[in-house]
Amino acid sequence: MSKKPDFDRRRFVGVAAATVAAGPLGLLGRVNAMTQALTDVAQPTGSGQTEIQPFRFTAPQAALDDLRRRIAATNWPERETVADESQGVPLATMRELARYWETEYDWRKVEAKLNALPQFTTKIDGLDIHFIHVRSREKKALPVIINHGWPGSVIEQIKLIGRLTDPVAYGGKANDAFDVVIPSMPGYGFSGKPTSTGWGPERMARAWAELMKRLGYTRYVAQGGDWGAFVVDYMGVQAPPGLLGIHTNMPGTVPADIDKAAFGGNPPPSGLSAEEKHAYEGLVFTYKHLAIYQMMAGRPQTLYGLADSPVGLAAYLLDHGDHDGQPAAAVVTALNRITSATGELTRDELLDNITLYWLTNTGVSASRLYWEYKGGFFNVKGVKIPVAVTVFPGEQYQAPRNWAEKAYPKLIYYNTVDKGGHFAAWEQPQLFSEEMRAAFRSLRSSQATGQ
């Protein structure tokens, strides 16, 4: 079998910002809104180690052909011995997804979407960082840096861009507009892969503060879910100059004694309210389904299959859970959703993300983040700056307000919504965008006055 072509980031760096911004915007929908948002894009700046370069990616056709050959040549195991998903992603599910991936899926569609957006790279702390940067036409737009997680990428958030940069086109108000920065985490997507240890969420937090400073933003906010929630929490702990506040959809609020009991699978401690018991049940369920995360945390280099088998990679990336099950309920539903007029997650979008991992060969490098991090997943980090929290019903656990108030002394916004899960921005972009507008509304005055 032919060798998968190596990914060379330098081959895909553009030569002019105009080239980056000239892609087929119609693929993103809302043509007028996105055209306005792209009118004022960031331009190459700086020199040497601080230089910002335009970026675009075109996958070699040989790599796409090789992907299809590898899918066709999959050495399939026998069917699971149960009638449910308790042993992992079912064989029938993977066979049908592989059939579609090999014979019908078109990577070029999402590639065109990405290349229609202003993308850039810059070196921070010795590592190439890729990011999308779209400025709003609204003069009072609030800059926000949005963080993805695992097994995600910047593809998770591209449906947010038009809704945030041009809120009027999506039912919002002009004074709720954002300038949007979406970086790829080190080891993920088009960012560089660390060659030494130390790139955990704390270091990423410092890198994102440097990125926003490099882009000329002196007042900004940050948003994150999954690993991105860790990053913004640590940004809140570090409190770099200019960071006004954070919004998280996976808050770290769990008291230490409750977290310890849930990890051990013990009955709920006495004295919990109904809301707290519901949160506790979510924690217990999550801690009973840690197998793939423990593998990444303990032996990420052993996951060679993620670099050698596209079907192996796809199954692994699909088998993350949420409050409703494992695989996550949103993923299971999306596998059967061909299109969505409201922006809900679809089969093609799942494959867009998986194919990005494959083409950049980041299955293993992304997994190392679990090895790097030694703290708790839902524990209190000690954030002292303003924090906004949105609780989604499909999140790993639903953080009670009283836990959030204790974990975040400057809690400025707390809301529970009725739909959306662990990857809420990807699953419910309109609702998510509305939450971001509401979450940061109280901070806009301080952004405008420079306080």
Side-chain angles (χ1 to χ4, degrees):
M1 183 171 292
S2 60
K3 181 178 182 293
K4 182 170 63 174
D6 291 332
F7 171 66
D8 185 351
R9 185 171 294 96
R10 293 169 296 181
R11 293 178 57 196
F12 306 105
V13 174
V15 294
T19 302
V20 175
L25 299 178
L27 291 170
L28 289 173
R30 294 285 187 176
V31 177
N32 293 334
M34 188 57 70
T35 301
Q36 290 179 347
L38 293 175
T39 299
D40 183 19
V41 301
Q43 299 295 318
T45 62
S47 60
Q49 291 296 302
T50 64
E51 187 174 12
I52 296 173
Q53 291 285 352
F55 175 91
R56 59 187 290 126
F57 175 78
T58 302
Q61 187 58 44
L64 299 177
D65 293 342
D66 180 67
L67 169 59
R68 293 188 179 94
R69 285 194 296 268
R70 287 173 178 262
I71 296 171
T74 299
N75 186 24
W76 294 98
E78 67 283 352
R79 182 190 179 281
E80 60 278 4
T81 58
V82 293
D84 54 26
E85 296 172 338
S86 60
Q87 292 184 349
V89 185
L91 178 64
T93 299
M94 288 309 303
R95 277 194 173 276
E96 173 54 25
L97 185 65
R99 181 206 63 77
Y100 177 78
W101 198 10
E102 178 196 351
T103 61
E104 298 182 48
Y105 170 76
D106 185 3
W107 161 261
R108 297 299 185 195
K109 291 181 180 180
V110 72
E111 184 177 86
K113 290 181 183 181
L114 288 169
N115 287 335
L117 296 166
Q119 298 177 82
F120 303 89
T121 59
T122 189
K123 192 176 291 293
I124 298 178
D125 200 5
L127 198 68
D128 289 333
I129 299 298
H130 162 266
F131 62 98
I132 297 168
H133 183 201
V134 183
R135 295 184 187 270
S136 172
R137 288 178 60 89
E138 302 297 337
K139 293 182 179 180
K140 295 182 179 180
L142 176 63
V144 60
I145 184 165
I146 306 177
N147 303 253
H148 69 81
W150 182 96
S153 68
V154 296
I155 288 174
E156 280 181 54
Q157 285 95 11
I158 61 176
K159 289 186 288 190
L160 298 178
I161 294 174
R163 291 173 167 87
L164 296 179
T165 57
D166 187 11
V168 174
Y170 295 86
K173 298 179 180 180
N175 56 8
D176 282 333
F178 293 87
D179 284 356
V180 176
V181 179
I182 309 173
S184 296
M185 293 194 301
Y188 289 69
F190 303 122
S191 280
K193 301 175 184 179
T195 57
S196 59
T197 61
W199 272 103
E202 302 93 333
R203 190 170 179 180
M204 291 183 196
R206 292 190 292 270
W208 292 175
E210 171 60 26
L211 175 59
M212 296 303 277
K213 177 182 177 182
R214 196 170 295 182
L215 292 174
Y217 291 126
T218 58
R219 295 289 188 275
Y220 63 94
V221 293
Q223 196 289 320
D226 194 79
W227 278 112
F230 291 67
V231 175
V232 299
D233 261 2
Y234 281 110
M235 291 180 77
V237 171
Q238 296 163 10
L243 179 61
L244 301 174
I246 65 172
H247 173 262
T248 175
N249 54 291
M250 196 185 81
T253 69
V254 182
D257 57 335
I258 293 177
D259 192 54
K260 182 178 179 180
F263 189 81
N266 299 324
S270 60
L272 297 184
S273 67
E275 189 180 22
E276 290 171 326
K277 287 180 180 178
H278 181 66
Y280 187 83
E281 291 167 358
L283 292 168
V284 171
F285 179 87
T286 297
Y287 287 144
K288 286 181 178 179
H289 296 81
L290 293 179
I292 61 172
Y293 310 109
Q294 290 171 329
M295 187 66 186
M296 292 185 287
R299 308 289 288 177
Q301 192 62 32
T302 299
L303 298 171
Y304 291 95
L306 304 187
D308 187 62
S309 167
V311 169
L313 174 69
Y316 200 85
L317 298 186
L318 289 176
D319 200 21
H320 61 80
D322 63 11
H323 185 79
D324 296 316
Q326 187 164 340
V331 169
V332 174
T333 302
L335 288 171
N336 297 311
R337 183 182 291 121
I338 308 304
T339 61
S340 173
T342 56
E344 291 179 304
L345 191 58
T346 67
R347 178 178 60 183
D348 269 12
E349 289 171 342
L350 289 173
L351 284 175
D352 292 341
N353 184 63
I354 294 168
T355 306
L356 177 62
Y357 271 76
W358 178 260
L359 293 173
T360 56
N361 194 16
T362 48
V364 172
S365 59
S367 300
R368 293 194 187 103
L369 180 53
Y370 286 84
W371 186 92
E372 289 286 350
Y373 184 66
K374 308 304 180 186
F377 280 88
F378 307 112
N379 65 310
V380 178
K381 309 295 191 302
V383 180
K384 297 295 190 292
I385 69 170
V387 177
V389 172
T390 301
V391 178
F392 288 87
E395 187 48 84
Q396 305 283 14
Y397 84 107
Q398 287 68 56
R401 178 186 285 272
N402 63 315
W403 290 4
E405 290 172 342
K406 292 177 182 177
Y408 300 117
K410 292 187 178 180
L411 186 70
I412 58 170
Y413 180 86
Y414 175 94
N415 191 35
T416 60
V417 294
D418 60 0
K419 56 184 176 180
H422 187 62
F423 292 94
W426 212 12
E427 300 168 26
Q428 298 291 336
Q430 181 64 23
L431 175 60
F432 195 91
S433 300
E434 292 168 358
E435 281 298 298
M436 284 186 61
R437 296 173 201 158
F440 290 124
R441 196 164 286 143
S442 67
L443 297 179
R444 287 183 181 270
S445 58
S446 59
Q447 184 257 350
T449 60
Q451 295 177 346

